[in-house]
Amino acid sequence: MGCDGGTIPKRHELVKGPKKVEKVDKDAELVAQWNYCALSQEILRRPIVACELGRLYNKDAVIEFLLDKSSEKALGKAASHIKSIKNVTELRLSDNPAWEGDKGNTKGDKHDDLQRARFICPVVGLEMNGRHRFCFLRCCGCVFSERALREIKAEVCHTCGAAFQEDDVIVLNGTKEDVETLKGRMEERRLRARLGKKTKKPKAAESVSKLDVGEEPAGPSRAQEKPEEPSPDPDAGEKKTHPAPRGAANGSSAGKVGKPPCGATKRPIAASEESEAYKSLFTSHSSAKRSKEESAHWVTHTSYCF
């Protein structure tokens, strides 16, 4: 049953206690958060975007994730809240002039300084390595340290001058409490946007209906309108009974007769006081009439043919 040859077992071999919790190396965790994409686990490279919860991604990885329609998405939990490319903001990062990268480590025998970061705060100069809290503005994408925003209080961006509100400030790689706060803000923001779209739809329908009513053809409506009747004039009867004066009827030129006024009764030419030469111009004159001998008894003729 063991213990042959005079072996003596030790206590830790016989008594098994609880397993020790493995401690995560803080330096390794910071390097993973600030230097690698949270979705593809690749090194961050421009263009770099950040979500509404403050996580860093490569933009091409986010686009591939959104285009992937398969049911099983790799590492989908890290970006399950990203529904479209509008849910991420492209960051405007300031390069660190002291960062060399892998230029001097060609042989692999150089010490990598984990405290050295690729990007810095453009206002204070702090390195974005996880030792200091950083945040970005959702309206413009500029990245600053939290100390810069706290010490230099302003309502506009320190780099581009864009106006922002407190709701636009998002902490990068924050704590669990920060993530919960940002998650609540994100849900409220999306709810307001959803309600805004619903209110815009009935307004658009009303405007379209008003345009349809306003563009109706004006022809039928105008045809239905009754013409305005002239106002009754008490002197109209007197004007109808009295004929127009001879000088006004003849006008300035001789031989021309003016038109009678509107509504005046017509009188026969024979009863008029005009000259015989003027009356002979009309077919109703006696000179224009034929006798019975001159007119044919069966041929239909008009009085105009002489």
Side-chain angles (χ1 to χ4, degrees), residues 24-253:
V24 180
D25 189 5
K26 292 184 178 180
D27 294 336
E29 186 179 4
L30 292 177
V31 169
Q33 287 181 350
W34 293 92
N35 294 336
Y36 290 88
C37 173
L39 184 60
S40 62
Q41 304 302 324
E42 297 179 357
I43 297 178
L44 290 173
R45 57 183 180 275
R46 283 189 170 96
I48 301 173
V49 297
C51 65
E52 295 174 291
L53 300 182
R55 297 170 184 166
L56 300 174
Y57 307 91
N58 289 326
K59 190 173 183 178
D60 55 353
V62 175
I63 294 174
E64 291 177 1
F65 172 77
L66 295 174
L67 293 177
D68 186 10
K69 301 299 182 180
S70 61
S71 57
E72 298 178 358
K73 290 184 178 181
L75 302 175
K77 293 182 179 180
S80 59
H81 59 285
I82 300 177
K83 304 301 180 181
S84 67
I85 197 65
K86 295 181 180 180
N87 298 140
V88 296
T89 305
E90 187 172 348
L91 302 181
R92 297 180 180 180
L93 299 165
S94 302
D95 295 326
N96 185 6
W99 187 74
E100 298 180 356
D102 297 335
K103 295 179 180 178
N105 193 13
T106 56
K107 298 181 181 180
D109 55 352
K110 186 178 179 180
H111 172 68
D112 292 335
D113 188 5
L114 299 178
Q115 301 299 324
R116 190 71 63 186
R118 294 170 56 188
F119 310 108
I120 61 173
C121 173
V123 180
V124 185
L126 297 176
E127 296 186 356
M128 198 173 72
N129 53 10
R131 300 293 179 181
H132 309 281
R133 288 169 63 88
F134 272 72
C135 53
F136 75 94
L137 303 180
R138 195 173 57 88
C139 56
C140 60
C142 297
V143 181
F144 305 97
S145 63
E146 194 177 41
R147 183 190 300 179
L149 292 179
R150 185 173 61 254
E151 293 180 356
I152 307 175
K153 296 182 179 181
E155 296 180 356
V156 296
C157 177
H158 302 310
T159 303
C160 63
F164 67 92
Q165 300 177 357
E166 185 179 358
D167 189 32
D168 295 329
V169 180
I170 297 179
V171 180
L172 290 172
N173 292 326
T175 60
K176 293 182 178 180
E177 292 79 7
D178 296 334
V179 173
E180 292 296 329
T181 305
L182 294 174
K183 191 173 182 180
R185 290 183 184 178
M186 178 185 67
E187 292 176 354
E188 292 178 2
R189 196 181 300 115
R190 293 184 180 182
L191 181 61
R192 288 197 303 266
R194 198 178 299 113
L195 294 176
K197 289 182 179 179
K198 289 182 179 179
T199 54
K200 286 180 180 179
K201 287 182 179 180
K203 289 183 180 179
E206 290 178 2
S207 60
V208 171
S209 62
K210 288 181 180 178
L211 289 175
D212 294 342
V213 172
E215 293 178 356
E216 287 183 356
S221 61
R222 290 183 180 178
Q224 293 175 1
E225 293 179 359
K226 295 182 179 180
E228 296 181 358
E229 296 180 357
S231 59
D233 191 356
D235 299 335
E238 298 179 0
K239 290 182 180 179
K240 291 180 181 180
T241 55
H242 296 286
R246 184 173 180 180
N250 292 340
S252 60
S253 60

